[in-house]
Amino acid sequence: TLEVFSTSSQLKLSYDASNETTFATGSGGDLTITPSGGDIDLAGNVKITGQAYSDGIVTLVDGATITPNWNDGNVQKVILGAVGRTMANPTNIQPGATYILVVVQDGSGSRTITTWGTAYEFPANTAPTLTTTADRADVITLVAYNADTLMCTSVLDFTIN
């Protein structure tokens, strides 16, 4: 069923009473698609003219144990506030996805991640030695090989302007 349900150019496509997707056009012409199931599956090739991006970089809460939730966004950062942090296995890994984790030193520097969860697989089974200079950042790129394995590479020592 396809119905127009308001005067603000909004549409709803329904399968049944509890499974539907709404399409809303804002005053700036932006289209928002909201499925009740949470996922949008596209079959075939997808061509994008312009950029595809998230709504900013998700900031993780620093603590003794840091746990990314990839449902929050594919690009996340943590500003380390102490030594000896543990990067726990993240939640909601989707096989085939690419994720980016930005690890930032606070204004004091010398912060470390000493333990990585078993899902993080670095080349030769060796996690990188992260930059310890204050206000610098390292970028870890993660490819989800399966729901339990993130193949990780790192590029280290970025200046943050």
Side-chain angles (χ1 to χ4, degrees):
T1 306
L2 179 64
E3 61 184 293
V4 177
F5 66 97
S6 78
T7 58
S8 62
S9 302
Q10 295 188 353
L11 301 173
K12 178 170 65 174
L13 180 62
S14 301
Y15 175 77
D16 58 28
S18 61
N19 296 293
E20 62 191 35
T21 299
T22 58
F23 299 81
T25 303
S27 61
D30 294 335
L31 174 65
T32 301
I33 302 171
T34 308
S36 61
D39 290 337
I40 298 173
D41 296 327
L42 302 172
N45 298 328
V46 177
K47 180 180 179 182
I48 298 172
T49 301
Q51 298 182 53
Y53 56 91
S54 298
D55 192 20
I57 298 175
V58 174
T59 300
L60 295 166
V61 175
D62 178 49
T65 300
I66 304 161
T67 307
N69 177 349
W70 293 121
N71 278 351
D72 292 339
N74 286 44
V75 181
Q76 300 188 17
K77 71 176 179 181
V78 62
I79 300 171
L80 298 177
V83 299
R85 298 304 199 209
T86 294
M87 187 64 65
N89 287 335
T91 59
N92 298 302
I93 297 171
Q94 294 297 319
T98 300
Y99 306 110
I100 297 173
L101 178 62
V102 181
V103 180
V104 181
Q105 291 290 325
D106 67 4
S108 297
S110 297
R111 311 309 191 179
T112 58
I113 297 174
T114 53
T115 304
W116 293 83
T118 57
Y120 302 96
E121 293 292 335
F122 291 96
N125 292 320
T126 304
T129 301
L130 300 176
T131 303
T132 56
T133 306
D135 299 315
R136 303 282 287 197
D138 301 317
V139 176
I140 312 292
T141 302
L142 310 95
V143 175
Y145 183 78
N146 57 41
D148 300 312
T149 304
L150 294 165
M151 297 187 296
C152 306
T153 60
S154 61
V155 182
L156 308 174
D157 201 19
F158 284 91
T159 300
I160 301 173
N161 298 321

